[in-house]
Amino acid sequence: MQQTEFHVGDRLKMKKTHPCGSNVFELLRVGMDFKIRCEKCGHEIMVPRSKIVKNIKSVLPKTEQGE
């Protein structure tokens, strides 16, 4: 993954799937640790930045909620 800029609200498609079967997560917090939420089951996870960046397949367009 070439992108180094991430923003809250980005949707990340990961290489590996979550146990619920989804591989799309919403980015909730950016820093040394990223907080992501599974879009299928809503489970929230804190993961170190290095691990997230290594496992991102692509960044999907943000969802337009309430706008």
Side-chain angles (χ1 to χ4, degrees):
M1 185 75 214
Q2 301 297 326
Q3 182 177 354
T4 57
E5 287 289 321
F6 297 100
H7 304 283
V8 172
D10 285 349
R11 296 172 59 226
L12 308 174
K13 185 171 185 179
M14 308 301 278
K15 292 179 183 175
K16 296 183 180 180
T17 60
H18 188 250
C20 72
S22 176
N23 66 341
V24 179
F25 294 83
E26 179 184 358
L27 189 57
L28 303 175
R29 179 176 176 247
V30 179
M32 285 301 294
D33 293 325
F34 280 15
K35 186 172 187 177
I36 57 175
R37 178 187 306 137
C38 177
E39 289 199 344
K40 184 174 180 183
C41 69
H43 188 231
E44 294 182 2
I45 311 158
M46 290 285 289
V47 186
R49 175 186 279 264
S50 58
K51 191 170 182 181
I52 287 279
V53 171
K54 185 174 78 172
N55 289 312
I56 292 175
K57 186 181 257 187
S58 64
V59 178
L60 304 172
K62 294 181 183 181
T63 56
E64 303 297 326
Q65 295 178 348
E67 294 181 19

